[in-house]
Amino acid sequence: MRPVALLTDFGLADHYVGVLHAVIEREAPGAVRIDLGHGLQAGDIWDACFQLRCAWPHLPADCVVMAVVDPGVGTGRRAVAVTIGTRSLVAPDNGIATAVLEASAAVVLEWRRMGLDQPSKTFHGRGLFAPAAARLACGADSRNFGEEIAINALVACPLPDPVVTSSVVEGVILHIDGFGNLVTNVRGDEVESSAMATWHAGRTSRRVETYGDAQPDEVVLIEGSAGYLELAVNCGSAADATALERGDTVVFSKGDD
Amino acid sequence: MRPVALLTDFGLADHYVGVLHAVIEREAPGAVRIDLGHGLQAGDIWDACFQLRCAWPHLPADCVVMAVVDPGVGTGRRAVAVTIGTRSLVAPDNGIATAVLEASAAVVLEWRRMGLDQPSKTFHGRGLFAPAAARLACGADSRNFGEEIAINALVACPLPDPVVTSSVVEGVILHIDGFGNLVTNVRGDEVESSAMATWHAGRTSRRVETYGDAQPDEVVLIEGSAGYLELAVNCGSAADATALERGDTVVFSKGDD
Amino acid sequence: MRPVALLTDFGLADHYVGVLHAVIEREAPGAVRIDLGHGLQAGDIWDACFQLRCAWPHLPADCVVMAVVDPGVGTGRRAVAVTIGTRSLVAPDNGIATAVLEASAAVVLEWRRMGLDQPSKTFHGRGLFAPAAARLACGADSRNFGEEIAINALVACPLPDPVVTSSVVEGVILHIDGFGNLVTNVRGDEVESSAMATWHAGRTSRRVETYGDAQPDEVVLIEGSAGYLELAVNCGSAADATALERGDTVVFSKGDD
């Protein structure tokens, strides 16, 4: 039985996430379930893509991932199952399915063809994605779920790439984590260790190796655990210290090394 | 081994929920555990009943449910195990045990008769309900836990039913979910698809099929995933848009169809 | 396979906790995982120690606990695996490893000796503690993880003990739980049942047995589920009622009994 990982914006105040777990257990008894998080902002596809990209390398090799941030639920947006290496991903076709590279196949989830009851028009997580994930956990072939479509027909992931010029790398804040760290889309190996980050009108941060290398209250540049450069304050919140927001620009000098 | 589902108001800031899981694993090693949610308002029996009612149809057929919202812990209120179809429910006898229909048997949980240590007067979840759930998971018969009592001796579920007249259905907001949807106690099949909902002084909402059918910022009426009619704003919060609160009245015309 | 319990300050808004679960499942497939909580304040070693101490007696006998509140991640602080009775604990050596008594062995976690990739300098939970916990779950001997060190070389738990004089016991508020209960470091059996608690300038609380014994809005003294005396308001918040904070002093008369 393949493990199933869940990522949603359903929050933990309601029974929604619990019901997803219940459906998976009912349809795939004993399947291992892993919560990748349910605290995304409602409808926040960007963050779903970002969190999925960060968690992906650490998942079990045969993992089935169910990532449901689905503001278009009940409309004509497609639901898909994508094969990526030895893993599978079920998600609405709104950019999430292309957040992680290397898909080798994509299938549209069709509830009739899957023999399911018509899913609630407000909760495809329960009526479509969880049953699909459970079947994949049990070894089903996603090609039995519906029509195969071309990979390049999938909606493109909305996360921006950094802009690289001869002298600088222009990045964007992709995510503000629970510690207040400001995570950019620039990977640590794209700039040298002597690089400086410039944000706001001329405010700059030097790059350090660990939180402990920072002075008290200093906003430093550090390579975070997913490989992205982030602005951070040791034992504090860079979000509070800088008032930067998601989507704001951070410019990195390439450094002298 | 039967799976165990947990619903409480213990929150996730403390070790309380973790300890419930630990006790279940200790007493029923390997039992599947499903979190139905722990974010209920402290002492909110209404919401416990509502969430349980919504999740119930989707639980595994042989599920043991432990639902503990227990403002009367340590007083004379009874703790019970109720058999409902092929499922079991352990809960304080404060209305939760009758939130879901069709109970066929009810037993009072008696710690002495169960051979348990006297439970902490502030945490029966750990010392009484979790051990009871674990034993049920292992196949125990609840009649060994204490005296059987009549179903109609159980405290009645406090959730109000809608009031149906010849021309309207008068409902009440039962729940505000994490997206700000206002869920009423009126089921979608109780009024026609042309029905209008009236709330506040003459403010009305038309019924739509999906969130995507709504205009921007429009407060619409939609059948939610549990079958109840709810006021919703697509990609927004009906709670914020209307300032309605739980317990407020919503009047539904029956429609022309 | 031994069960693994997790306690962190990583919160549930990010993928961090999900990745810990993924790594444990990847390295110890099928291992039972128990979340003891991830809502600790960032860097709050005090609370990690407190929560661990409360949960400890209820864990499975052979449990592996991974407790990661780690403001010193990436600095020279040691990471350790401690053997306590039949249980194991992996944690940064910042006081958490000594929060629970009776350790019989302590080993420094050395990623090279464990054959691990160099862990991210900001996330030892993923690259060091979770792999260590997974190996212990699979039956590994912690002495293979690195050098053994003396128990008394571990950093001491920072939680203060109460001060006992001939007439009073002077305690400290260790924790404010999600219900607003103010949990002190004085155990219920350290003072008599007739004891009074004095807090602020002469405000006092009488001791009761259950929440239900309190008058409406009365701040009472009660023995909580972990055995500590706490100030509580039935169906309310003692934190709001008293404005007391963690670290504040509460003085207990010993009582007449």
Side-chain angles (χ1 to χ4, degrees):
Chain A
M1 189 96 72
R2 302 167 68 184
V4 180
L6 298 92
L7 178 70
T8 79
D9 63 349
F10 296 166
L12 296 175
D14 295 293
H15 60 280
Y16 304 138
V17 169
V19 164
L20 297 183
H21 280 277
V23 169
I24 293 169
E25 168 61 19
R26 205 184 58 198
E27 302 295 324
V32 166
R33 294 169 274 107
I34 297 169
D35 286 304
L36 291 179
H38 303 285
L40 302 175
Q41 285 290 104
D44 189 339
I45 296 168
W46 251 52
D47 209 27
C49 292
F50 175 77
Q51 302 265 6
L52 190 60
R53 199 179 270 184
C54 293
W56 193 262
H58 307 287
L59 300 176
D62 60 344
C63 198
V64 177
V65 181
M66 167 178 170
V68 185
V69 173
D70 196 9
V73 61
T75 68
R77 72 96 187 84
R78 292 184 295 209
V80 294
V82 173
T83 306
I84 303 171
T86 53
R87 299 190 185 115
S88 299
L89 170 63
V90 296
D93 181 23
N94 59 16
I96 296 175
T98 52
V100 184
L101 300 178
E102 306 159 74
S104 61
V107 167
V108 175
L109 299 178
E110 298 170 19
W111 60 270
R112 282 188 192 81
R113 189 140 150 200
M114 294 174 72
L116 295 169
D117 291 335
Q118 181 166 13
S120 158
K121 283 179 174 153
T122 64
F123 195 8
H124 283 194
R126 184 184 73 197
L128 186 63
F129 293 110
R135 291 179 187 195
L136 290 167
C138 292
D141 185 329
S142 64
R143 285 171 298 189
N144 297 323
F145 296 169
E147 284 300 303
E148 215 165 333
I149 57 172
I151 304 301
N152 61 17
L154 294 167
V155 172
C157 172
L159 292 181
D161 288 320
V163 176
V164 181
T165 71
S166 57
S167 57
V168 299
V169 179
E170 199 173 297
V172 162
I173 296 171
L174 287 189
H175 178 68
I176 302 176
D177 79 6
F179 295 96
N181 298 314
L182 303 162
V183 188
T184 75
N185 59 347
V186 177
R187 299 193 65 87
D189 52 15
E190 292 184 81
V191 301
E192 302 293 342
S193 61
S194 61
M196 301 290 286
T198 304
W199 41 277
H200 280 180
R203 296 286 303 275
T204 61
S205 292
R206 67 188 176 104
R207 186 162 173 184
V208 299
E209 288 286 301
T210 75
Y211 296 127
D213 293 337
Q215 302 300 314
D217 298 325
E218 182 186 7
V219 180
V220 292
L221 183 63
I222 191 168
E223 182 175 324
S225 60
Y228 295 107
L229 292 168
E230 57 192 54
L231 296 172
V233 171
N234 189 27
C235 298
S237 164
D240 291 348
T242 65
L244 289 168
E245 295 181 358
R246 199 173 71 170
D248 283 351
T249 300
V250 179
V251 178
F252 300 84
S253 69
K254 286 182 159 175
D256 319 310
D257 300 10
Chain B
M1 189 97 71
R2 302 167 67 184
V4 179
L6 299 90
L7 178 70
T8 79
D9 64 349
F10 296 165
L12 295 175
D14 294 292
H15 60 278
Y16 304 138
V17 170
V19 163
L20 297 183
H21 281 277
V23 169
I24 293 169
E25 168 62 18
R26 205 185 57 198
E27 302 295 325
V32 166
R33 294 170 272 107
I34 297 170
D35 286 303
L36 292 180
H38 303 286
L40 302 175
Q41 286 290 107
D44 189 338
I45 296 168
W46 250 51
D47 209 25
C49 292
F50 175 78
Q51 302 265 6
L52 190 61
R53 199 179 270 185
C54 293
W56 191 262
H58 307 287
L59 299 177
D62 61 344
C63 198
V64 177
V65 181
M66 167 179 169
V68 185
V69 173
D70 195 9
V73 62
T75 68
R77 73 94 187 86
R78 292 184 294 210
V80 293
V82 174
T83 307
I84 303 172
T86 54
R87 299 189 185 116
S88 299
L89 170 62
V90 296
D93 182 23
N94 58 16
I96 296 175
T98 52
V100 183
L101 299 178
E102 306 159 74
S104 61
V107 167
V108 175
L109 300 178
E110 298 171 18
W111 60 269
R112 281 188 193 81
R113 186 137 150 202
M114 295 175 71
L116 295 169
D117 291 336
Q118 182 167 13
S120 158
K121 283 181 175 153
T122 64
F123 195 8
H124 282 194
R126 184 184 73 198
L128 186 63
F129 294 110
R135 291 177 187 196
L136 290 167
C138 293
D141 185 329
S142 63
R143 285 172 297 189
N144 297 323
F145 296 169
E147 283 301 302
E148 215 165 333
I149 57 171
I151 304 301
N152 62 16
L154 292 167
V155 172
C157 172
L159 292 181
D161 288 320
V163 176
V164 182
T165 72
S166 57
S167 58
V168 300
V169 179
E170 200 174 297
V172 162
I173 295 171
L174 287 189
H175 177 69
I176 302 176
D177 79 5
F179 296 96
N181 298 314
L182 303 162
V183 188
T184 75
N185 59 348
V186 178
R187 301 194 63 87
D189 53 14
E190 290 183 82
V191 301
E192 302 293 342
S193 62
S194 61
M196 299 290 287
T198 304
W199 40 276
H200 279 181
R203 297 286 303 275
T204 61
S205 293
R206 67 188 176 104
R207 185 162 172 183
V208 299
E209 288 286 300
T210 74
Y211 296 127
D213 294 336
Q215 301 299 315
D217 298 324
E218 183 186 6
V219 179
V220 292
L221 183 62
I222 192 168
E223 181 175 326
S225 60
Y228 295 107
L229 291 169
E230 57 191 55
L231 296 172
V233 171
N234 189 27
C235 299
S237 164
D240 290 348
T242 65
L244 288 169
E245 295 180 358
R246 200 172 72 170
D248 283 351
T249 300
V250 180
V251 178
F252 300 83
S253 69
K254 287 182 159 175
D256 319 311
D257 301 10
Chain C
M1 187 98 70
R2 303 167 68 184
V4 179
L6 299 92
L7 178 70
T8 79
D9 63 349
F10 296 167
L12 295 176
D14 294 293
H15 60 279
Y16 304 138
V17 170
V19 163
L20 297 183
H21 280 277
V23 168
I24 294 168
E25 167 61 19
R26 206 183 57 199
E27 303 295 324
V32 166
R33 293 170 273 107
I34 297 168
D35 285 303
L36 291 180
H38 302 287
L40 302 176
Q41 285 291 106
D44 189 338
I45 295 167
W46 250 51
D47 209 26
C49 292
F50 175 78
Q51 302 265 6
L52 189 61
R53 199 179 270 184
C54 292
W56 192 263
H58 308 286
L59 300 178
D62 60 344
C63 198
V64 177
V65 181
M66 167 178 169
V68 185
V69 173
D70 195 9
V73 61
T75 68
R77 72 93 188 86
R78 291 184 295 208
V80 293
V82 174
T83 306
I84 304 171
T86 53
R87 301 190 185 116
S88 300
L89 170 63
V90 295
D93 181 23
N94 58 17
I96 297 176
T98 52
V100 184
L101 300 179
E102 307 159 74
S104 61
V107 167
V108 176
L109 299 177
E110 298 170 19
W111 58 269
R112 282 189 192 81
R113 187 138 150 201
M114 295 175 73
L116 294 169
D117 291 335
Q118 181 166 13
S120 158
K121 283 180 175 153
T122 64
F123 195 8
H124 282 195
R126 185 184 72 198
L128 187 63
F129 293 110
R135 291 179 186 194
L136 291 167
C138 291
D141 186 328
S142 64
R143 284 172 298 188
N144 298 323
F145 296 169
E147 283 302 303
E148 216 165 331
I149 56 172
I151 304 301
N152 62 15
L154 292 168
V155 171
C157 172
L159 293 181
D161 287 321
V163 177
V164 182
T165 72
S166 58
S167 57
V168 299
V169 178
E170 199 173 298
V172 162
I173 295 171
L174 286 189
H175 177 69
I176 302 176
D177 79 5
F179 296 95
N181 297 315
L182 303 162
V183 188
T184 75
N185 59 347
V186 178
R187 300 193 65 87
D189 53 14
E190 292 183 80
V191 300
E192 302 294 342
S193 62
S194 61
M196 300 290 287
T198 304
W199 41 275
H200 278 179
R203 298 286 303 275
T204 60
S205 292
R206 67 188 176 104
R207 185 162 172 184
V208 298
E209 288 286 301
T210 75
Y211 295 128
D213 294 336
Q215 301 300 315
D217 299 324
E218 183 186 6
V219 180
V220 292
L221 183 63
I222 191 168
E223 181 175 326
S225 59
Y228 295 107
L229 290 169
E230 56 192 56
L231 297 172
V233 172
N234 189 26
C235 299
S237 165
D240 291 347
T242 64
L244 289 169
E245 296 181 359
R246 199 173 71 171
D248 283 352
T249 301
V250 179
V251 177
F252 300 83
S253 71
K254 287 182 159 177
D256 319 311
D257 300 12

